[in-house]
Amino acid sequence: MATKYQEVADIVRKRIENGTYKAGELIPDQTTLAAEFKVNRLTVKKALDGLASEGLIYKQSGLGTYVRGKIPFVDHERDVTVDDFRGAYQEFGPDRIKSDVLLFDVQLPDEKIQKNLNIKRIDPVYEVKRIRIIDGEPTVLEHTYMPVKLVPELSKEVCEKSIYTYIHDELGLKFGNAFRKFSALGADDEDVKELNVEKGSPILEVEQVVWLTNGKSIEYSTSHVPGDKRSYTVMNINNFN
C-alpha cells in the first residue's frame, strides 16, 4: 500500500506528465498542496523531494518549485541522479590526468540534442570530443554538448584541462543536479582507435544530462569506458569533466 507522500507524488507526477503542470512553470506551494490533499506540509515536502530526485521538478530559493518535465533518456526506475560535480580533473589532479581534444566545434543542435538540453534549433552548442588519459592510459572517450549562451568563451585550451572548473570558477555558475544512464555496449571502430581495445569488447556507456541551480540544462554527454579495470577507476569519479 502506498504511503501518503507516495500518493501525493503520484498525483503531482501525473499532472506533470499530462501537462496540467507545464515545463518551466511554478507548481502550487506546499501549503496549497497540503490543503488540497488534506495532508501536512511535511508529507508534501517529502513527495516533492522525491520528484526533485527524479529530475521532474527543481527548486529555486525564494521563488518556489518549477517543473522541469520528463528527461528524454531517463528511466526513473533504473537510472541515477548525481549531485557531486568535482570532476575527473579535480579528483585525480593535473599530474595524473590529461585531456586530448579530438574535436572542438560550434554547431546548431539536432533534434536529440535540442530535447536533452531543452533548447531550440537556432541555439548554437559546443561539440567537444575528448580522450581522458589517466596515468598514461586512455580511459574515457567523452562526447559533450553545451549551449554557447550558458558557457560563453569556452575554448579548446579550457577543454584540455577542466570544463567544470571553468564553469564554476570563471563563470560563477552553480550546478544543480544531473541524471546518468548506464548501458553495456560492444566497442566500435572509434573505441578501438581511441581507447586501445578490441572490436566488440565490453564498453560501458554513460549518458548524462546536467542542470544549473536555475533549472537550465548545461550539458548533455555520452562517455565510453572500456569494460576492464579502467571502469572501476572511472566509476569512482563523480563526473568526467
Side-chain angles (χ1 to χ4, degrees):
M1 174 181 278
T3 64
K4 278 293 184 183
Y5 83 86
Q6 290 172 328
E7 292 176 3
V8 172
D10 287 343
I11 293 171
V12 175
R13 186 185 295 107
K14 287 176 182 177
R15 290 179 180 178
I16 293 171
E17 292 172 348
N18 66 25
T20 301
Y21 298 154
K22 295 179 173 57
E25 293 184 351
L26 276 167
I27 67 170
D29 61 32
Q30 292 181 15
T31 300
T32 301
L33 290 173
E36 177 186 352
F37 298 125
K38 295 180 173 56
V39 297
N40 59 45
R41 286 186 58 188
L42 183 60
T43 297
V44 173
K45 181 181 184 303
K46 192 170 182 179
L48 297 184
D49 286 345
L51 295 175
S53 72
E54 294 178 22
L56 293 174
I57 61 176
Y58 62 95
K59 301 173 184 178
Q60 285 198 258
S61 180
L63 296 177
T65 301
Y66 289 81
V67 177
R68 175 177 286 128
K70 185 173 175 57
I71 307 163
F73 69 80
V74 167
D75 178 342
H76 294 294
E77 294 182 357
R78 298 185 308 163
D79 304 325
V80 297
T81 185
V82 182
D83 59 7
D84 193 328
F85 299 94
R86 282 174 293 172
Y89 194 81
Q90 295 295 327
E91 184 77 15
F92 287 96
D95 294 333
R96 294 186 59 197
I97 184 167
K98 307 294 180 185
S99 295
D100 184 3
V101 179
L102 306 177
L103 173 67
F104 180 82
D105 196 12
V106 175
Q107 60 179 256
L108 293 177
D110 61 22
E111 186 174 350
K112 180 179 181 181
I113 303 304
Q114 291 173 57
K115 288 182 178 179
N116 282 301
L117 289 177
N118 192 27
I119 56 177
K120 298 178 180 179
R121 172 64 178 167
I122 60 173
D123 295 326
V125 295
Y126 298 105
E127 180 182 9
V128 181
K129 188 175 289 188
R130 304 186 292 179
I131 295 292
R132 312 306 299 275
I133 302 168
I134 300 174
D135 295 332
E137 187 171 28
T139 302
V140 183
L141 173 58
E142 177 188 278
H143 201 174
T144 303
Y145 296 89
M146 290 183 164
V148 172
K149 63 184 179 183
L150 293 183
V151 194
E153 300 184 24
L154 183 66
S155 65
K156 183 178 179 181
E157 289 70 29
V158 168
C159 296
E160 290 172 345
K161 295 181 180 179
S162 172
I163 299 174
Y164 281 8
T165 298
Y166 173 73
I167 290 172
H168 185 269
D169 294 350
E170 299 297 323
L171 301 182
L173 299 175
K174 294 183 179 180
F175 299 110
N177 63 342
F179 261 89
R180 187 178 289 172
K181 177 179 181 178
F182 300 92
S183 302
L185 306 175
D188 59 20
D189 291 337
E190 188 174 33
D191 296 324
V192 171
K193 177 183 178 183
E194 305 296 348
L195 294 173
N196 295 336
V197 295
E198 295 183 2
K199 184 71 176 287
S201 61
I203 289 289
L204 176 67
E205 181 180 76
V206 184
E207 188 175 12
Q208 175 172 271
V209 62
V210 180
W211 300 276
L212 298 174
T213 52
N214 62 11
K216 292 182 179 180
S217 304
I218 193 170
E219 175 196 334
Y220 170 69
S221 64
T222 57
S223 299
H224 282 195
V225 185
D228 56 17
K229 62 182 177 66
R230 285 173 283 186
S231 297
Y232 300 103
T233 299
V234 172
M235 294 328 299
N236 288 322
I237 304 173
N238 293 293
N239 215 292
F240 301 127
N241 279 305

